[in-house]
Amino acid sequence: MFSNYLIGLREGLEASLVVCILIAYLVKTGRRDALKPIWIGIGIAVAIAMGFGCALEFGSQELTFEAQEALGGSLSVIAVGLVTWMVFWMRRTARHLRSELHGKLDAALAMGTGALVATAFLAVGREGLETALFVWASVHAASDGTPRPLVGVALGLATAVLLGWLFYRGALKINLAKFFTWTGGMLVVVAAGVLAYGFHDLQEANWIPGIADLAFDISGTIPPDSWYGTLLKGVFNFQPDPTVVQLTVWALYLVPTLAIFLATPEFLARLKGGGRSTAAPAAEERVPAAE
């Protein structure tokens, strides 16, 4: 449940910050007349993301078992690729996010209502579709027959909306660069579990051999239905009896990806005491309070 909460929080907060920056800029520049097209674009983006998620869930139920596993495994691999790109992109772009959005908004204001709708739709839609895909893959991987994975996602999204509103009102200020660095690292760990489970799905679909070749089996020590087995499953997508392929893919993704993500001047400077790196300015984004 925690891993799904983290996904909802991290992905939802990115979308919330984009919305806050767009709305706050229009309010502070006296262009409240442009708020309606912005909200229309945001609404369309949210609706399409929700529709995409529903299509993934209900559409896959009509397939055969092998086809379901093949689809789930393939989409899990794609989702991990997208979320990995997003984690590195946000780390690099966080310091320029507000100025970049302001520039796009200024251009849209000069072009008219349709451009405003398109700007809001594209800014939020990318986050929405990416979130829907990764949430579906993660819930599919962590599913234990209970609604807890979906509850975790919903709580994460609700927290993200609340934080976004507090940022907008000026009631909350945190160093977003540090937030995205730490949550990005945790998200890489979650993504490793999703990727391993995705390859397990592909093995069950007979796309990849080795479904019977287990790396180890500690189900007797850590029963999947025990409270600690459930906790490990919910947080890390841990499986007590992974195949050799699963374990290999998990290690080959997690170790180099996490090492590359964390071994940066910015992260090392913060790790030593919160100081600023001499290699680049601190990536800190403050959302202006509404007047």
Short mmCIF file of all heavy atoms in Angstrom, two decimals, residues 1 3-4 57 61 69 76 134-151 153 193-194 197 201 224-225 229-230 233-239:
data_model
loop_
_atom_site.label_atom_id
_atom_site.label_comp_id
_atom_site.label_asym_id
_atom_site.label_seq_id
_atom_site.Cartn_x
_atom_site.Cartn_y
_atom_site.Cartn_z
N MET A 1 0.83 -1.21 0.00
CA MET A 1 0.00 0.00 0.00
C MET A 1 0.87 1.26 0.00
O MET A 1 0.55 2.25 -0.65
CB MET A 1 -0.93 0.00 1.22
CG MET A 1 -1.87 1.19 1.29
SD MET A 1 -3.08 0.99 2.61
CE MET A 1 -3.91 2.55 2.53
N SER A 3 3.85 1.69 -1.34
CA SER A 3 4.43 1.97 -2.65
C SER A 3 3.40 2.65 -3.56
O SER A 3 3.74 3.57 -4.31
CB SER A 3 4.93 0.68 -3.30
OG SER A 3 3.86 -0.22 -3.51
N ASN A 4 2.14 2.22 -3.47
CA ASN A 4 1.09 2.83 -4.29
C ASN A 4 0.76 4.24 -3.79
O ASN A 4 0.45 5.13 -4.59
CB ASN A 4 -0.15 1.96 -4.26
CG ASN A 4 0.06 0.64 -4.97
OD1 ASN A 4 0.10 0.57 -6.18
ND2 ASN A 4 0.24 -0.42 -4.20
N GLU A 57 -7.91 -1.36 -17.43
CA GLU A 57 -8.45 -2.31 -16.44
C GLU A 57 -9.54 -3.20 -17.03
O GLU A 57 -9.46 -4.43 -16.96
CB GLU A 57 -8.98 -1.54 -15.23
CG GLU A 57 -9.62 -2.42 -14.17
CD GLU A 57 -8.66 -3.43 -13.56
OE1 GLU A 57 -7.44 -3.19 -13.59
OE2 GLU A 57 -9.13 -4.48 -13.09
N GLN A 61 -9.67 -7.42 -19.01
CA GLN A 61 -10.47 -8.51 -18.45
C GLN A 61 -11.13 -9.38 -19.52
O GLN A 61 -11.56 -10.49 -19.23
CB GLN A 61 -11.54 -7.93 -17.51
CG GLN A 61 -10.97 -7.27 -16.26
CD GLN A 61 -12.04 -6.66 -15.37
OE1 GLN A 61 -13.24 -6.81 -15.64
NE2 GLN A 61 -11.62 -5.99 -14.31
N GLU A 69 -1.57 -11.71 -19.24
CA GLU A 69 -0.21 -11.68 -18.70
C GLU A 69 0.74 -10.98 -19.65
O GLU A 69 1.62 -10.22 -19.23
CB GLU A 69 0.26 -13.10 -18.41
CG GLU A 69 -0.55 -13.84 -17.37
CD GLU A 69 -0.62 -13.09 -16.06
OE1 GLU A 69 0.44 -12.92 -15.43
OE2 GLU A 69 -1.73 -12.65 -15.68
N SER A 76 3.92 -3.08 -18.01
CA SER A 76 4.75 -2.84 -16.83
C SER A 76 6.15 -2.38 -17.26
O SER A 76 6.72 -1.45 -16.67
CB SER A 76 4.86 -4.11 -15.99
OG SER A 76 3.62 -4.44 -15.41
N PHE A 134 1.41 3.89 -14.96
CA PHE A 134 2.26 3.36 -13.90
C PHE A 134 1.43 2.88 -12.71
O PHE A 134 1.76 1.87 -12.08
CB PHE A 134 3.27 4.41 -13.45
CG PHE A 134 4.37 3.83 -12.59
CD1 PHE A 134 5.19 2.83 -13.07
CD2 PHE A 134 4.58 4.30 -11.30
CE1 PHE A 134 6.20 2.29 -12.28
CE2 PHE A 134 5.59 3.77 -10.51
CZ PHE A 134 6.40 2.76 -11.00
N VAL A 135 0.35 3.60 -12.40
CA VAL A 135 -0.53 3.16 -11.31
C VAL A 135 -1.16 1.81 -11.66
O VAL A 135 -1.22 0.90 -10.82
CB VAL A 135 -1.63 4.21 -11.05
CG1 VAL A 135 -2.78 3.62 -10.23
CG2 VAL A 135 -1.05 5.40 -10.30
N TRP A 136 -1.62 1.66 -12.90
CA TRP A 136 -2.21 0.38 -13.31
C TRP A 136 -1.20 -0.75 -13.19
O TRP A 136 -1.51 -1.82 -12.67
CB TRP A 136 -2.73 0.48 -14.74
CG TRP A 136 -3.40 -0.78 -15.21
CD1 TRP A 136 -4.71 -1.13 -15.03
CD2 TRP A 136 -2.79 -1.86 -15.93
NE1 TRP A 136 -4.95 -2.36 -15.59
CE2 TRP A 136 -3.81 -2.84 -16.15
CE3 TRP A 136 -1.51 -2.10 -16.41
CZ2 TRP A 136 -3.55 -4.03 -16.82
CZ3 TRP A 136 -1.25 -3.28 -17.08
CH2 TRP A 136 -2.27 -4.24 -17.29
N ALA A 137 0.01 -0.51 -13.67
CA ALA A 137 1.05 -1.54 -13.61
C ALA A 137 1.41 -1.88 -12.17
O ALA A 137 1.58 -3.04 -11.80
CB ALA A 137 2.29 -1.08 -14.37
N SER A 138 1.51 -0.84 -11.32
CA SER A 138 1.88 -1.08 -9.92
C SER A 138 0.77 -1.80 -9.15
O SER A 138 1.05 -2.72 -8.37
CB SER A 138 2.20 0.26 -9.24
OG SER A 138 2.52 0.07 -7.88
N VAL A 139 -0.47 -1.38 -9.36
CA VAL A 139 -1.59 -2.04 -8.69
C VAL A 139 -1.70 -3.48 -9.17
O VAL A 139 -1.96 -4.40 -8.38
CB VAL A 139 -2.91 -1.28 -8.97
CG1 VAL A 139 -4.11 -2.09 -8.51
CG2 VAL A 139 -2.89 0.07 -8.25
N HIS A 140 -1.47 -3.70 -10.46
CA HIS A 140 -1.50 -5.05 -11.01
C HIS A 140 -0.41 -5.92 -10.36
O HIS A 140 -0.64 -7.09 -10.03
CB HIS A 140 -1.28 -4.99 -12.52
CG HIS A 140 -1.23 -6.32 -13.21
ND1 HIS A 140 -2.35 -7.11 -13.37
CD2 HIS A 140 -0.19 -7.02 -13.75
CE1 HIS A 140 -2.01 -8.23 -13.99
NE2 HIS A 140 -0.70 -8.20 -14.23
N ALA A 141 0.77 -5.33 -10.14
CA ALA A 141 1.87 -6.08 -9.54
C ALA A 141 1.65 -6.33 -8.06
O ALA A 141 2.00 -7.39 -7.53
CB ALA A 141 3.18 -5.33 -9.74
N ALA A 142 1.03 -5.36 -7.35
CA ALA A 142 0.87 -5.48 -5.90
C ALA A 142 -0.47 -6.04 -5.50
O ALA A 142 -0.75 -6.18 -4.30
CB ALA A 142 1.06 -4.09 -5.26
N SER A 143 -1.32 -6.35 -6.46
CA SER A 143 -2.67 -6.80 -6.15
C SER A 143 -2.66 -8.05 -5.28
O SER A 143 -1.97 -9.02 -5.58
CB SER A 143 -3.46 -7.07 -7.43
OG SER A 143 -4.76 -7.51 -7.13
N ASP A 144 -3.40 -8.01 -4.19
CA ASP A 144 -3.49 -9.15 -3.29
C ASP A 144 -4.94 -9.55 -3.04
O ASP A 144 -5.27 -10.18 -2.05
CB ASP A 144 -2.81 -8.84 -1.95
CG ASP A 144 -3.35 -7.56 -1.30
OD1 ASP A 144 -4.28 -6.96 -1.88
OD2 ASP A 144 -2.84 -7.17 -0.24
N GLY A 145 -5.80 -9.13 -3.97
CA GLY A 145 -7.22 -9.45 -3.82
C GLY A 145 -7.98 -8.49 -2.94
O GLY A 145 -9.17 -8.69 -2.68
N THR A 146 -7.31 -7.44 -2.46
CA THR A 146 -7.96 -6.45 -1.60
C THR A 146 -7.88 -5.09 -2.30
O THR A 146 -7.09 -4.89 -3.22
CB THR A 146 -7.26 -6.36 -0.23
OG1 THR A 146 -5.98 -5.72 -0.40
CG2 THR A 146 -7.07 -7.74 0.37
N PRO A 147 -8.69 -4.13 -1.84
CA PRO A 147 -8.64 -2.79 -2.45
C PRO A 147 -7.51 -1.93 -1.92
O PRO A 147 -7.43 -0.75 -2.26
CB PRO A 147 -10.01 -2.20 -2.06
CG PRO A 147 -10.36 -2.87 -0.78
CD PRO A 147 -9.80 -4.27 -0.88
N ARG A 148 -6.62 -2.49 -1.10
CA ARG A 148 -5.58 -1.67 -0.48
C ARG A 148 -4.67 -0.94 -1.48
O ARG A 148 -4.34 0.23 -1.25
CB ARG A 148 -4.74 -2.53 0.47
CG ARG A 148 -5.42 -2.78 1.81
CD ARG A 148 -4.56 -3.64 2.72
NE ARG A 148 -4.38 -4.98 2.19
CZ ARG A 148 -3.83 -5.97 2.87
NH1 ARG A 148 -3.38 -5.75 4.10
NH2 ARG A 148 -3.70 -7.18 2.33
N PRO A 149 -4.24 -1.58 -2.58
CA PRO A 149 -3.42 -0.84 -3.54
C PRO A 149 -4.12 0.40 -4.09
O PRO A 149 -3.53 1.48 -4.18
CB PRO A 149 -3.14 -1.87 -4.64
CG PRO A 149 -3.23 -3.18 -3.95
CD PRO A 149 -4.33 -3.01 -2.95
N LEU A 150 -5.40 0.25 -4.45
CA LEU A 150 -6.14 1.40 -4.97
C LEU A 150 -6.38 2.44 -3.88
O LEU A 150 -6.35 3.65 -4.17
CB LEU A 150 -7.48 0.92 -5.54
CG LEU A 150 -7.42 0.18 -6.88
CD1 LEU A 150 -8.80 -0.33 -7.28
CD2 LEU A 150 -6.84 1.07 -7.96
N VAL A 151 -6.60 2.00 -2.66
CA VAL A 151 -6.76 2.94 -1.55
C VAL A 151 -5.47 3.74 -1.36
O VAL A 151 -5.49 4.95 -1.14
CB VAL A 151 -7.13 2.20 -0.25
CG1 VAL A 151 -7.06 3.15 0.95
CG2 VAL A 151 -8.53 1.59 -0.36
N VAL A 153 -3.20 4.47 -3.64
CA VAL A 153 -3.10 5.44 -4.74
C VAL A 153 -4.03 6.63 -4.49
O VAL A 153 -3.63 7.79 -4.66
CB VAL A 153 -3.44 4.77 -6.08
CG1 VAL A 153 -3.54 5.82 -7.19
CG2 VAL A 153 -2.40 3.73 -6.44
N GLY A 193 10.64 -3.31 -8.53
CA GLY A 193 9.70 -4.39 -8.22
C GLY A 193 8.66 -4.57 -9.30
O GLY A 193 8.30 -5.70 -9.65
N VAL A 194 8.16 -3.47 -9.85
CA VAL A 194 7.17 -3.53 -10.93
C VAL A 194 7.79 -4.18 -12.17
O VAL A 194 7.15 -4.99 -12.85
CB VAL A 194 6.65 -2.12 -11.26
CG1 VAL A 194 5.76 -2.16 -12.50
CG2 VAL A 194 5.86 -1.55 -10.08
N TYR A 197 8.11 -7.94 -11.64
CA TYR A 197 6.80 -8.57 -11.75
C TYR A 197 6.33 -8.60 -13.20
O TYR A 197 5.69 -9.55 -13.64
CB TYR A 197 5.78 -7.85 -10.88
CG TYR A 197 4.52 -8.64 -10.65
CD1 TYR A 197 4.42 -9.53 -9.58
CD2 TYR A 197 3.42 -8.51 -11.50
CE1 TYR A 197 3.27 -10.26 -9.37
CE2 TYR A 197 2.27 -9.25 -11.29
CZ TYR A 197 2.19 -10.12 -10.23
OH TYR A 197 1.06 -10.86 -10.03
N ASP A 201 5.17 -11.81 -15.44
CA ASP A 201 3.98 -11.90 -16.29
C ASP A 201 4.33 -12.41 -17.68
O ASP A 201 3.63 -13.24 -18.26
CB ASP A 201 3.29 -10.54 -16.40
CG ASP A 201 2.45 -10.20 -15.17
OD1 ASP A 201 2.27 -11.10 -14.32
OD2 ASP A 201 1.99 -9.05 -15.07
N PRO A 224 3.65 -15.33 2.12
CA PRO A 224 3.05 -14.18 1.44
C PRO A 224 1.83 -13.62 2.14
O PRO A 224 1.53 -12.44 2.02
CB PRO A 224 2.69 -14.74 0.06
CG PRO A 224 3.58 -15.91 -0.13
CD PRO A 224 3.77 -16.50 1.23
N ASP A 225 1.10 -14.49 2.89
CA ASP A 225 -0.12 -14.03 3.55
C ASP A 225 0.12 -13.56 4.98
O ASP A 225 -0.83 -13.21 5.68
CB ASP A 225 -1.18 -15.14 3.54
CG ASP A 225 -0.66 -16.43 4.19
OD1 ASP A 225 0.55 -16.51 4.49
OD2 ASP A 225 -1.48 -17.36 4.40
N GLY A 229 4.98 -10.41 5.31
CA GLY A 229 5.03 -10.70 3.89
C GLY A 229 4.20 -9.72 3.10
O GLY A 229 4.60 -9.25 2.03
N THR A 230 3.02 -9.39 3.64
CA THR A 230 2.15 -8.40 2.99
C THR A 230 2.79 -7.03 2.99
O THR A 230 2.70 -6.28 2.00
CB THR A 230 0.80 -8.34 3.73
OG1 THR A 230 0.19 -9.64 3.72
CG2 THR A 230 -0.14 -7.34 3.05
N LYS A 233 5.53 -6.98 0.41
CA LYS A 233 4.90 -6.97 -0.90
C LYS A 233 4.37 -5.58 -1.23
O LYS A 233 4.54 -5.08 -2.35
CB LYS A 233 3.75 -7.98 -0.93
CG LYS A 233 2.92 -7.98 -2.20
CD LYS A 233 3.68 -8.57 -3.37
CE LYS A 233 2.77 -8.75 -4.57
NZ LYS A 233 3.48 -9.26 -5.75
N GLY A 234 3.72 -4.94 -0.24
CA GLY A 234 3.13 -3.63 -0.48
C GLY A 234 4.15 -2.53 -0.66
O GLY A 234 3.94 -1.59 -1.42
N VAL A 235 5.30 -2.62 0.04
CA VAL A 235 6.30 -1.57 -0.02
C VAL A 235 7.28 -1.77 -1.17
O VAL A 235 7.59 -0.85 -1.91
CB VAL A 235 7.06 -1.47 1.32
CG1 VAL A 235 8.17 -0.43 1.23
CG2 VAL A 235 6.11 -1.13 2.46
N PHE A 236 7.77 -3.02 -1.33
CA PHE A 236 8.82 -3.27 -2.30
C PHE A 236 8.42 -4.21 -3.43
O PHE A 236 9.25 -4.57 -4.26
CB PHE A 236 10.04 -3.89 -1.60
CG PHE A 236 10.61 -3.02 -0.51
CD1 PHE A 236 10.48 -3.39 0.82
CD2 PHE A 236 11.27 -1.84 -0.81
CE1 PHE A 236 11.00 -2.60 1.82
CE2 PHE A 236 11.80 -1.05 0.19
CZ PHE A 236 11.66 -1.42 1.52
N ASN A 237 7.14 -4.63 -3.48
CA ASN A 237 6.70 -5.66 -4.43
C ASN A 237 7.54 -6.93 -4.27
O ASN A 237 7.88 -7.61 -5.24
CB ASN A 237 6.80 -5.14 -5.88
CG ASN A 237 5.68 -4.19 -6.22
OD1 ASN A 237 4.54 -4.42 -5.86
ND2 ASN A 237 6.01 -3.11 -6.89
N PHE A 238 7.89 -7.23 -3.01
CA PHE A 238 8.74 -8.38 -2.72
C PHE A 238 7.99 -9.68 -2.96
O PHE A 238 6.83 -9.82 -2.62
CB PHE A 238 9.19 -8.33 -1.25
CG PHE A 238 9.93 -9.56 -0.80
CD1 PHE A 238 11.25 -9.75 -1.13
CD2 PHE A 238 9.27 -10.54 -0.06
CE1 PHE A 238 11.93 -10.89 -0.72
CE2 PHE A 238 9.95 -11.68 0.36
CZ PHE A 238 11.28 -11.85 0.03
N GLN A 239 8.69 -10.64 -3.57
CA GLN A 239 8.14 -11.97 -3.81
C GLN A 239 9.08 -13.00 -3.21
O GLN A 239 10.29 -13.00 -3.52
CB GLN A 239 7.99 -12.21 -5.32
CG GLN A 239 7.32 -13.52 -5.67
CD GLN A 239 7.08 -13.65 -7.18
OE1 GLN A 239 6.99 -12.66 -7.89
NE2 GLN A 239 6.99 -14.88 -7.65
#
